[in-house]
Amino acid sequence: MSTTSSDPLATLGTLPGVTDAVDSVRKAVDRVYGHRVMRRRSVEVTSEAALRGARGSAALSGADWNLEEVRRRTDFTGDSEARVVGAALRLTAEAGQLLSIWRQSPLRVLARLHLVAAGGAAPEDAVGRPRLAGEPVDEPLIEAPLPDADEVAGRLEGLSGLILSGSGAPALVTAAVVHGELLALRPFGGYNGLVARTAERIVLIGSGLDPKSICPAEVGHAEQGRAAYVAALEGYLSGTPEGMAAWIAHCGRAVELGVRESTAVCEALQRGAA
């Protein structure tokens, strides 16, 4: 991000279209939190949102499984798609456990997320650390030029500094920037998309926007489709105000679609059908 503001994230929150996206997300989240089912069965909604969020994140990483298959399966050690789904499920389960550490050391959390995602499937000396010069990256969905290892290290430190310094930016803006920056950097040898979307989830939970983790943005990202996801990311990569605003709005729409999914879950629970 190129800005002279002392709070660059807050500056992004003032871009044309971003304020409307933030307001729309807040209203949507407030509506689902106000659903009568949430007063007595919020734990069930959270659990279902986690499952559906993991399925959506895995779909974006190339493992587009039916929800019932994800729900039914117990062994995720088979082929590459099974490992991706397993990684997404583990990450979703881990996200809520890392909130306090995120506020103190975002880089430690990112390392932990990669370790959880890899689940022993990557070389031990390459897990939980940013890639070194010359190390390959397996992230087929994102074809943008890959920053070198020195740039990755510097930008990760910069991202960590932004988070630790605090910001007056809306949660949606911070979550979208964390998500976009991790996709841009692809700091690990693999599972970067899964890690980026989990980091977005952590920001949305920890900010207080979605404290019960019932608004799975991953569902919305998947529903909008892989092509739209990549196109929106190109806006982020451009660094232009218009491109950044488009990416933030895309992430906002993803949250709203996640809200719609959980609202349907609430309605099903209310009818006794779930």
Side-chain angles (χ1 to χ4, degrees):
M1 292 175 292
S2 57
T3 175
T4 57
S5 168
S6 59
D7 189 348
L9 293 176
T11 298
L12 290 176
T14 66
L15 291 174
V18 172
T19 300
D20 288 343
V22 168
D23 289 345
S24 183
V25 165
R26 168 51 72 186
K27 290 175 183 176
V29 172
D30 286 348
R31 282 196 299 272
V32 71
Y33 269 85
H35 197 287
R36 60 186 300 179
V37 165
M38 288 296 297
R39 291 197 293 270
R40 61 189 188 279
R41 302 183 72 176
S42 64
V43 172
E44 293 171 77
V45 180
T46 295
S47 177
E48 188 65 19
L51 182 72
R52 295 180 185 217
R55 193 220 72 83
S57 192
L60 284 170
S61 287
D64 192 1
W65 287 16
N66 180 278
L67 179 63
E68 293 311 312
E69 174 66 10
V70 177
R71 196 190 305 278
R72 179 192 67 80
R73 184 76 72 94
T74 58
D75 181 8
F76 298 96
T77 60
D79 60 20
S80 60
E81 285 196 8
R83 290 194 294 273
V84 167
V85 175
L89 288 167
R90 291 192 299 273
L91 285 171
T92 302
E94 189 82 2
Q97 312 301 315
L98 297 172
L99 297 176
S100 61
I101 303 174
W102 177 263
R103 298 184 184 105
Q104 301 168 9
S105 178
L107 298 185
R108 280 180 58 200
V109 169
L110 294 177
R112 172 65 183 170
L113 292 177
H114 185 244
L115 178 67
V116 168
E124 186 174 342
D125 63 351
V127 173
R129 62 156 176 80
R131 55 187 167 84
L132 304 177
E135 290 184 333
V137 173
D138 179 17
E139 199 66 47
L141 180 60
I142 310 301
E143 298 180 353
L146 197 65
D148 65 31
D150 288 342
E151 181 179 352
V152 167
R155 287 173 63 176
L156 282 176
E157 287 291 343
L159 181 63
S160 177
L162 279 177
I163 295 165
L164 292 174
S165 65
S167 172
L172 172 64
V173 173
T174 303
V177 168
V178 168
H179 184 171
E181 190 70 357
L182 292 173
L183 287 179
L185 296 178
R186 284 147 288 163
F188 304 111
Y191 301 104
N192 289 288
L194 295 176
V195 168
R197 291 183 288 275
T198 306
E200 179 185 51
R201 172 183 284 265
I202 289 172
V203 173
L204 293 172
I205 299 170
S207 67
L209 177 65
D210 182 22
K212 294 183 183 294
S213 191
I214 62 166
C215 306
E218 304 95 326
V219 168
H221 286 302
E223 187 169 332
Q224 292 178 91
R226 299 177 87 194
Y229 186 68
V230 172
L233 177 63
E234 288 174 358
Y236 180 88
L237 296 173
S238 75
T240 65
E242 297 80 9
M244 298 292 287
W247 170 249
I248 294 167
H250 181 88
C251 292
R253 180 59 178 157
V255 175
E256 290 186 68
L257 289 169
V259 166
R260 187 177 72 179
E261 187 86 354
S262 286
T263 300
V265 170
C266 287
E267 294 294 331
L269 288 170
Q270 186 167 283
R271 295 191 304 269

